[in-house]
Amino acid sequence: MRKVGIIMGSDSDLPVVQKAFDTLSGLGVPYEVHVYSAHRSPEEAAAFARAAEENGFGVIIAAAGMAAHLAGALAAATTLPVIGIPCASGGLGGLDALLSTVQMPSGIPVATVAIDGAQNAAILAAQILALGDEALFGRVEALRAEQTRKVIEKDEQMQRDIDKILEA
Ligand code: RP5
């Protein structure tokens, strides 16, 4: 199976990106993690993206905060799909990163998830890889079915507790 490349602009993004590791591990998707910065180590970032397809990657996830051009910079150097996670670092709560990740000019797309949306980034990466992998497709479907089951359970619990909650 092709790997997911998870690139962080800084090791300070790790607490956000951790959810992507957990989700990919749970789905049995192999991944590699690197810290490359579009402004502090641009040569290394571009070199990774240029060689990614040849090195067995199928999707790249790029997480960065502030003026987060990392995802776009990687996308410029590869035709693999790039998923951007805008991180809520800095003083603007991630809105700066959201806009600089999602507002890519035409021609070089970045599939942008929510601010700090590492879990969705991982699920989307798995869904892309699952197009060519029936077993992974099944595991993604099972993950979604599990989510559905949990919500149904919560509703059942709510029906049991609602009188007590309203009385409180
Ligand atoms: C971005 O700047 C990183 O992705 C991080 O979210 C933010 C701050 O980086 P550090 O100063 O903590 O290394 O490049």
Side-chain angles (χ1 to χ4, degrees), residues 1-3 27-30 125-141:
M1 188 195 303
R2 284 192 165 266
K3 296 176 283 186
L27 287 167
V29 175
Q127 286 179 279
I128 292 167
L129 294 179
L131 288 172
D133 186 324
E134 225 173 282
L136 177 58
F137 197 92
R139 293 198 292 280
V140 174
E141 284 193 320

Side-chain angles (χ1 to χ4, degrees), residues 26-96:
L27 287 167
V29 175
Y31 59 89
E32 255 182 48
V33 186
H34 296 278
V35 178
Y36 295 130
S37 165
H39 45 282
R40 293 171 178 154
S41 62
E43 300 299 334
E44 288 74 8
F48 171 85
R50 271 197 298 271
E53 204 275 330
E54 198 181 320
N55 286 336
F57 293 93
V59 186
I60 294 174
I61 293 175
M66 303 182 77
H69 51 152
L70 178 61
L74 294 172
T78 181
T79 46
L80 292 178
V82 175
I83 301 168
I85 307 172
C87 296
S89 61
L92 299 180
L95 189 58
D96 43 0

